[in-house]
Amino acid sequence: MCAHPLAAPDPSASPIFTCLIPPLASAQRTKWHHRVCPVIMTPENLLTCYKTSGVNVSEHCPCGSGLQYSLCCESYLNGSALPATPESLMRSRYSAYVKQDTGYLVATWHPSCHAERFSASIEESYPHTHWRGLTVLSSEILPDKPQGYVTFFARFTENGRESFIHERSRFLREEQRWYYIDGTFPPIGRNDQCPCGSGKKYKKCCGQS
């Protein structure tokens, strides 16, 4: 468990991020235009930014947002924007697992977790783990603390065996940046609706032994 003293939020913070936009017409996408966006880069703001740039997009984002990857988590993983909310960070971390981006996962854990010690075990899991989908059940930011929560359900296959993670993740905000710090596992009754979103009872779905 990671321990960290919560600091008071700074309501006057108004970060400005630089959005990296590929050139409109170029066979070799090796140079980038820099566009200063005076807003926090939420998926919606990124969508507006990219629409006006004429970027060609195709791949759907692994996080399940419904947006193209280039309009969603890609800008977080490549370092051209910071997630503006705990949910955006959580979704980007899921995408990082899918994309096998250990560096991003380590960098978005809270520093008090010393996540670099997890690097080897994370990378060892990549060849045997296939992520099959993410469902975000709820998200919230506390009004009086730089702290937020995201409850999610993620399905995966490990060594050919189906499994899942159902977690209420906790996030802290420091210096205008969100970090993942820890999480708890909400109980699921066998007759509850399965949190995977199938509409079935848990015992008839992901809770089958």
Side-chain angles (χ1 to χ4, degrees):
M1 185 70 69
C2 300
H4 174 71
L6 293 177
D10 180 9
S12 64
S14 179
I16 296 178
F17 297 110
T18 299
C19 189
L20 298 179
I21 304 298
L24 302 188
S26 173
Q28 296 181 343
R29 297 189 177 277
T30 56
K31 295 182 179 180
W32 296 78
H33 298 309
H34 287 74
R35 172 177 299 180
V36 176
C37 300
V39 291
I40 294 177
M41 296 312 293
T42 64
E44 293 77 12
N45 291 332
L46 280 171
L47 180 60
T48 301
C49 199
Y50 273 91
K51 277 183 175 179
T52 59
S53 72
V55 176
N56 182 27
V57 294
S58 58
E59 180 187 1
H60 283 288
C61 192
C63 80
S65 65
L67 296 173
Q68 303 293 342
Y69 176 58
S70 59
L71 306 180
C72 193
C73 291
E74 183 178 35
S75 63
Y76 305 141
L77 270 64
N78 68 23
S80 60
L82 293 175
T85 64
E87 181 175 338
S88 296
L89 178 56
M90 188 272 139
R91 287 183 179 276
S92 69
R93 284 175 55 81
Y94 176 86
S95 292
Y97 276 107
V98 175
K99 297 290 185 179
Q100 301 184 0
D101 191 335
T102 309
Y104 184 81
L105 292 168
V106 170
T108 52
W109 252 297
H110 190 271
S112 66
C113 297
H114 303 289
E116 60 277 0
R117 59 185 171 152
F118 307 145
S119 295
S121 60
I122 292 172
E123 293 182 355
E124 288 172 2
S125 73
Y126 290 149
H128 314 291
T129 306
H130 173 65
W131 293 94
R132 301 176 55 221
L134 171 68
T135 302
V136 174
L137 303 173
S138 65
S139 62
E140 63 175 321
I141 299 176
L142 301 185
D144 57 342
K145 294 180 180 179
Q147 183 169 307
Y149 294 89
V150 179
T151 303
F152 70 91
F153 189 92
R155 297 182 299 119
F156 65 94
T157 302
E158 187 173 33
N159 293 319
R161 182 176 180 179
E162 293 186 3
S163 189
F164 63 85
I165 300 173
H166 181 214
E167 181 177 304
R168 184 174 187 252
S169 299
R170 185 167 68 105
F171 298 84
L172 298 181
R173 185 173 181 266
E174 289 188 356
E175 298 180 354
Q176 304 175 5
R177 179 170 180 172
W178 286 99
Y179 294 93
Y180 170 70
I181 188 164
D182 56 25
T184 58
F185 304 104
I188 311 173
R190 288 182 54 78
N191 289 315
D192 292 344
Q193 188 175 61
C194 190
C196 76
S198 66
K200 300 178 181 179
K201 289 186 176 181
Y202 177 64
K203 66 181 179 183
K204 295 291 186 179
C205 192
C206 295
Q208 296 187 71
S209 56

